[in-house]
């Protein structure tokens, strides 16, 4: 038999970002991560995903850490490995669209502080919301990867995905990620999808999924056999459940095949040994809910990502209406349809979920329409895949005309204004970006930082980098 040509699959490690974001609400600290960086740097990962997503908000809000400082420490520690971040298109790492000048400056500073690969996505797959970030990443000589938010529904045909992929390539992206945040991509469908994408475009295809529905490892296997170039995995202590398939398992799976990753299992085992006690502590403290580690097939029935399920549970608990859980789950797909069938990912998942809760608790649909639902109907988040329900739109907007342009076209430059607003707190250029994304949380953090600095010995303070040993 002819020798099959070798095509090693590349691995992106998610333990420093998506894995702990998915399992323990992004609570791993920089201090917990740094001691293992040197070992991780020897593995030969395609990249380590370590920044962006919810890490920025959680660092400031819960850990009282400067996310920029974390990134600089990673950059110093990872001498041979590319660093990757997740970026929400025009929403950056926040929950609203920002002006182009803020997006451009954020990309510039992310790259200057050490990011190599920026994965950019939009919750509606509206390409117009990605353009500024992609251009900025290319200008900074970073790798711009565009992620398609994968979902199911009438609108999402194979033609839809292939067309989207071609547009992503034309836009100047260096690679494409199939971002399956809810674990909806099943194995044989993956063969079809990856095959179609590989035929349509000439840039690498990366697969990202979550284990929530229990099929993710099989999905990766089929993806790699169909020609996917890169897969996202997490070291075993923080794998499975609402996180990614385990790195070591996928490395073992492809061993001795044309897709052999060539990664060293004994080195991976040492890294796993390091993270295991961190996971055990999280279980003991209740930070890691064992429920998050199981299989939840409801994600396939209701197309609701794992994180959204836990949000709905807590919203209902606060209202003392836990018995309404299944009613809300059944309302979610209906609300999603009314809003133009968007993929459910931050922030569209929160918007649809919250509206579904109101619809059920009020006993009447859309008796109360949230500001965010109204904004989706008004076109302020971008163009939905299918048209929104016209009657609901009329009810929410009255005589107000929905917008059809790119939402950011209506946002004037805001960097200078933001700089003036937070002038008293600025100690490093990046502080204005921290303030732009989370004004209230940032100011609390800046006050905390100032209080810490008054306690330190000036001779040990590293004023140059704005980092102060406490």
């Amino acid at each position: 038999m002819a020798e099959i040509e070798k095509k090693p699959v590349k691995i992106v490690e998610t333990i420093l970002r998506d894995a702990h974001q998915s399992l323990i609400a992004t609570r791993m600290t920089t201090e917990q991560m740094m001691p293992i960086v040197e070992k991780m740097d020897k593995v030969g990962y395609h990249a380590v995903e370590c920044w962006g997503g919810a890490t920025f908000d959680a660092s400031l809000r819960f850990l009282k850490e400067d996310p920029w400082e974390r990134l600089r420490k990673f950059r110093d520690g990872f001498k041979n490995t590319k660093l990757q971040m997740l970026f929400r298109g025009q929403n950056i790492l926040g929950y609203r669209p920002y002006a182009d000048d803020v997006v451009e400056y954020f990309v510039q500073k992310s790259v200057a502080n050490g990011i190599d690969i920026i994965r950019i996505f939009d919750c509606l797959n509206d390409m117009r919301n990605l353009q500024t970030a992609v251009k900025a990443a290319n200008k900074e000589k970073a790798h711009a990867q565009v992620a398609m938010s994968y979902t199911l529904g009438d609108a999402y045909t194979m033609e839809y995905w292939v067309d989207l992929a071609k547009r992503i390539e034309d836009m100047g992206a260096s690679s494409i990620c199939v971002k399956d945040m809810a674990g909806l991509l099943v194995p044989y469908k993956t063969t079809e999808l990856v095959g179609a994408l590989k035929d349509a475009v000439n840039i690498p295809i990366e697969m990202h999924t979550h284990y929530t529905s229990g099929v993710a490892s099989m999905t990766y296997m089929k993806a790699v056999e169909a020609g996917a170039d890169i897969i996202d995995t997490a070291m075993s202590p923080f794998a499975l459940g609402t996180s990614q398939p385990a790195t070591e398992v996928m490395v073992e799976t492809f061993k001795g095949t044309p897709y052999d990753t060539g990664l060293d299992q004994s080195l991976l085992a040492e890294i796993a040994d390091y993270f295991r006690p961190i996971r055990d502590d999280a279980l003991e403290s209740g930070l890691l809910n064992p429920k998050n580690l199981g299989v939840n097939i409801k994600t396939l029935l209701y197309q609701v990502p794992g994180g959204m399920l836990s949000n709905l549970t807590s919203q209902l608990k606060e209202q003392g209406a836990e018995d309404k859980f299944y009613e809300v789950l059944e309302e979610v797909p209906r609300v999603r349809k009314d809003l133009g069938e968007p993929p459910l990912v931050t922030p569209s998942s929160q918007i649809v979920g919250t509206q579904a809760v109101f619809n059920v608790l009020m006993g009447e649909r859309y008796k109360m329409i949230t500001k965010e639902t109204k904004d989706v109907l008004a076109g302020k988040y971008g163009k939905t895949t299918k048209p929104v329900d016209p009657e609901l739109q009329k009810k929410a907007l009255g005589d107000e005309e929905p917008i059809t342009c790119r939402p950011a076209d209506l946002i004037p430059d805001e960097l200078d204004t933001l700089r003036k607003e937070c002038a008293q707190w600025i100690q490093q250029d990046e502080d204005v970006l921290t303030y732009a994304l989370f004004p209230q949380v940032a100011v609390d953090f800046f006050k905390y930082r100032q209080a810490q600095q008054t306690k330190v010995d000036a001779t040990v303070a590293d004023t140059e980098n704005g980092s102060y040993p406490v």
Side-chain angles (χ1 to χ4, degrees), residues 28-48:
M28 213 186 283
T29 65
T30 306
E31 201 181 346
Q32 286 175 310
M33 299 172 187
M34 288 314 295
I36 195 64
V37 161
E38 195 182 334
K39 253 186 198 147
M40 289 179 71
D41 194 34
K42 294 192 173 100
V43 171
Y45 289 122
H46 172 66
V48 169

Side-chain angles (χ1 to χ4, degrees), residues 167-188:
R167 284 163 54 204
I168 290 170
E169 187 176 36
D170 292 344
M171 180 192 272
S174 303
S175 64
I176 292 175
C177 172
V178 177
K179 179 178 163 63
D180 176 24
M181 53 281 165
L184 300 175
L185 197 48
V186 292
Y188 288 103

Side-chain angles (χ1 to χ4, degrees), residues 42-43 251 255 261-271:
K42 294 192 173 100
V43 171
V251 168
K255 206 181 220 158
T261 62
L263 304 192
D264 175 357
Q265 284 287 22
S266 52
L267 179 56
L268 292 175
E270 289 175 41
I271 295 167

